Amino acid sequence: MNDMDLAKTVADGDRVAMASLVEQHYDPVFRFLRNLTRSQEDAEDLTQQVFVKAQTRIKSYRGGSSLRTWLHQIAFHEFTRWRRRRRLTSLVGIERTGQEPGYSQVDEAAWLLDALDRLNPALKEAFLLHEVQELSVEEVATVTGSPIGTVKSRLHHARSMLQKLWESTHNEESYERTATQN
Amino acid sequence: MNAPQHRIDEGVRALKGEATPTAAKRRLLDHLAATRSPRTPLRVVTMAAAFAVLGLAVPLLWPKPALAEELSAMLNQGETSANRTESFYLPDSNGNLRLYMTRAVLGDKSCYRFFGQKVAIRYRSGARVIQDYGNYATIQDETSGQLDNFNNLDRLLSARDDTKTNVSRQNLGRGLVKYTINWIQKSVSGTVEITGEAVSRRPLEERILKGPGAGGVYVWAYGSTRQKDVDYVVKAGKPLYDIDAQRFEFLKLADSTLQSTVVESRKIGLVQVWADEDGKLLVALDGSDGLPEKENAVVSVDGSVGKAGTMAGSPWVNGVWGVVKLRGRSLMFVEAQVGPVGDRIKSLSVPVWFGSGASEVAVFHDIEVHRTGILAFLLAPMNQPFWQEGTQSESGPTSPSR
């Protein structure tokens, strides 16, 4: 069944179709939001909101993009709202504790997320969508509402800055090792 | 490839392989199963209520009445001494079948497991339903809870009476028969195969070949359910919430005001406060005429700030109700994630709005807290307030038993 048929079936209130939609797309949407928020709990909440919104808005889906892109678009919107709320709650002094340490059990993943957090958010978002979520440049542009050229530029800058960050970290580690040995 | 690029690519690969939370996905599916589009016809609502617990396979049995009797007989065979286990598998994104739900049936008792996690349900004389969520349980009238509709195929058929269906029958030999059901509804179509025993009429397997849930398989196994599979005892000390009685109480409380305060020369009444097992708090106020859509709307309980709903929309999910007409009053409901609270709250701060102006805060002291399992289940079954669309009479349950 193609995306449009699935969307129509979900719109008709079919529970199996909705479960199928969740089964197909929950994991990537959740990963995307967890990598953006760096919080398991918030990512779970946001992912739930994404699918509930998807269920209520599915009638408006016209097939202009894949369901995957469409869901990422909703997810990105939810994330930007979440980020705005966090800024506001931060302003009134009720910010929650920061990132949950250690949800990523793999060193490489943790390093990359830490490095991405040091980039401009727009670079991080484009990088995650393209590299991790495997969306095309055009799809990233759709999700973020940015021109294709801007997305390409952000992807290039993201890679380039990550490379610099790795080199500086690597140089510091080499220096520390050398200093220790001496 | 140079070292930095390699390190970045390794990180990307690692991120793609990060585990995802099965329990959260299950909760989402449960939520969605009980949620409906506002424009869904009432008969679909009824059907969805029945299937909220039954899982997702049953609605796929859509034969027209021509074969309904035969299939009904198949499903009902030996029901007086029912002993079967039903398993429903759905394909994941890689096409591998994953067990979504099992249902063990023994007599009139059933036990469900979603993604392997037990949700026990027991039917007592067909009147009330107990549902266990692990750390608490609920009980409610069958009419307002989940129905055991599996053997009432006619109800399914009436809910799908606009489905154009073509059914063919094939003898497979060795006493087996297979029905192939092609259906079409509007622009969506599908094909389902049901295989069963020709003489005993027992179904053995349903395969969804095309259409929604394609690749899904529902399997019946007979004689394998043991008494202990369906036994259910509410443990001493485990909260058991009587949903019908609590709805009755909710409506009764809506008639009065616990206490009042004055904000910006306006009288604000605190009507009732409910907490649930998920750490959510619902506050009903009288006198505020705005909607809690502000980004920084927060509820504070004994000095601890909770995360309030921030979007207009589904109260089921967001807990944002705005102003609700209830028992002739216009009450503002605010829901917030505040964590565990005791039976009384010493100090409660709630945002209120006047017209389109900025929010103010109303503060109340020493407040009684009512408890329930999940606020959304209590107040908005099927994502619809229980006092609307006749889902619950304002006269209360037929047999309050709390």
Side-chain angles (χ1 to χ4, degrees), chain A residues 3-180:
Chain A
D3 279 357
M4 200 61 218
D5 287 344
L6 180 61
K8 282 179 183 168
T9 317
V10 171
D12 284 341
D14 193 293
R15 306 291 147 185
V16 172
M18 192 61 216
S20 180
L21 184 76
V22 172
E23 281 294 341
Q24 285 179 44
H25 297 286
Y26 183 95
D27 290 359
V29 168
F30 171 80
R31 284 197 189 100
F32 176 51
L33 289 166
R34 187 173 57 182
N35 291 334
L36 285 174
T37 62
R38 309 224 37 199
S39 160
Q40 178 95 4
E41 186 189 342
D42 286 337
E44 286 180 10
D45 287 350
L46 290 176
T47 307
Q48 171 156 320
Q49 286 177 21
V50 168
F51 282 96
V52 169
K53 285 205 167 173
Q55 188 183 40
T56 55
R57 293 178 180 176
I58 196 88
K59 282 186 169 69
S60 68
Y61 177 73
R62 296 284 175 265
S65 61
S66 67
L67 274 176
R68 186 174 68 134
T69 305
W70 186 70
L71 286 167
H72 274 84
Q73 217 170 347
I74 299 174
F76 186 69
H77 179 69
E78 289 302 310
F79 165 70
T80 54
R81 288 181 66 95
W82 173 88
R83 186 170 54 192
R84 199 161 64 238
R85 284 198 299 274
R86 261 177 67 104
R87 284 182 188 146
L88 283 164
T89 51
S90 173
L91 283 176
V92 294
I94 55 169
E95 187 175 22
R96 282 189 355 181
T97 52
Q99 299 153 3
E100 293 168 10
Y103 82 72
S104 177
Q105 300 300 314
V106 182
D107 285 348
E108 287 80 2
W111 172 83
L112 181 58
L113 286 174
D114 286 344
L116 284 168
D117 276 348
R118 296 172 66 179
L119 306 187
N120 179 303
L123 302 187
K124 174 184 176 180
E125 291 150 12
F127 183 89
L128 286 174
L129 282 166
H130 184 64
E131 300 279 358
V132 181
Q133 301 302 115
E134 298 179 338
L135 265 57
S136 68
V137 171
E138 291 76 14
E139 287 172 326
V140 176
T142 303
V143 169
T144 58
S146 310
I148 290 175
T150 305
V151 172
K152 284 180 179 172
S153 164
R154 284 174 182 169
L155 289 171
H156 173 75
H157 282 299
R159 273 252 167 203
S160 152
M161 293 193 70
L162 286 171
Q163 183 167 343
K164 284 176 186 163
L165 282 170
W166 186 89
E167 283 166 353
S168 65
T169 310
H170 186 70
N171 289 340
E172 281 171 19
E173 285 173 356
S174 300
Y175 174 78
E176 282 170 11
R177 271 201 303 275
T178 309
T180 308

Side-chain angles (χ1 to χ4, degrees), chain B residues 345-394:
Chain B
I345 291 174
K346 289 180 185 170
S347 174
L348 174 69
S349 302
V350 193
V352 292
W353 281 265
F354 304 132
S356 57
S359 64
E360 300 293 340
V361 174
V363 182
F364 304 94
H365 298 284
D366 193 25
I367 303 138
E368 181 186 7
V369 177
H370 301 270
R371 289 186 183 286
T372 190
I374 298 286
L375 277 164
F377 277 116
L378 174 69
L379 302 178
M382 316 312 299
N383 204 22
Q384 187 72 28
F386 70 83
W387 55 89
Q388 292 179 7
E389 280 198 4
T391 48
Q392 170 89 3
S393 162
E394 288 200 9

